[in-house]
Amino acid sequence: MSNVTDTKPRAKTVTKTARPPLHKVILLNDDFTPRDFVVRVLKAEFRTTEDQARRIMITAHTKGACVVAVFTQEVAETKAKRATEMARNEGYPLLFTTEPEE
Ligand code: TYC
């Protein structure tokens, strides 16, 4: 091998860009917030259609809670806070929370 080029393959490092962990925004049921108001908040803050908003609202109403959507942590927390604030401004107890997705 003295005068020969060494062509033995070398290990290559493949770098993958990590995706940020996602967080769920969860809509909680309560006994006081009007259904139409919940639908209005979902459309305004989460840009859902009327139909999507009604399905999410009814699921939370019947099951107690419903995942609205998933976002990066900061976006999820900001949207949950703003949506909850919309309800507080009208005197409703409606609550949106966040939790990390498994
Ligand atoms: N349960 C409410 C009512 O009967 C409506 C409602 C639905 C409130 C979903 C919150 O996340 C909720 N007026």
Side-chain angles (χ1 to χ4, degrees):
M1 288 286 262
S2 57
N3 207 13
V4 185
T5 308
D6 182 1
T7 58
K8 193 159 147 257
R10 301 268 170 230
K12 286 206 176 64
T13 305
V14 178
T15 307
K16 280 199 178 173
T17 306
R19 297 189 210 298
L22 295 176
H23 289 241
K24 301 182 272 196
V25 174
I26 299 161
L27 168 66
L28 299 177
N29 186 37
D30 67 71
D31 291 340
F32 304 101
T33 308
R35 292 179 181 211
D36 284 349
F37 183 79
V38 179
V39 169
R40 204 185 316 153
V41 172
L42 288 169
K43 287 167 73 179
E45 188 56 43
F46 298 95
R47 303 269 159 205
T48 68
T49 63
E50 175 83 21
D51 202 62
Q52 289 167 336
R54 295 221 165 262
R55 286 165 195 271
I56 293 165
M57 180 276 294
I58 285 293
T59 302
H61 177 75
T62 55
K63 295 191 168 178
C66 183
V67 175
V68 178
V70 295
F71 304 97
T72 56
Q73 180 171 15
E74 197 184 324
V75 173
E77 286 172 356
T78 301
K79 284 184 177 291
K81 188 165 155 251
R82 284 171 46 120
T84 300
E85 269 169 17
M86 274 182 74
R88 285 306 165 282
N89 289 340
E90 302 295 323
Y92 297 130
L94 186 66
L95 184 60
F96 290 81
T97 62
T98 65
E99 67 174 58
E101 196 185 49
E102 282 91 78

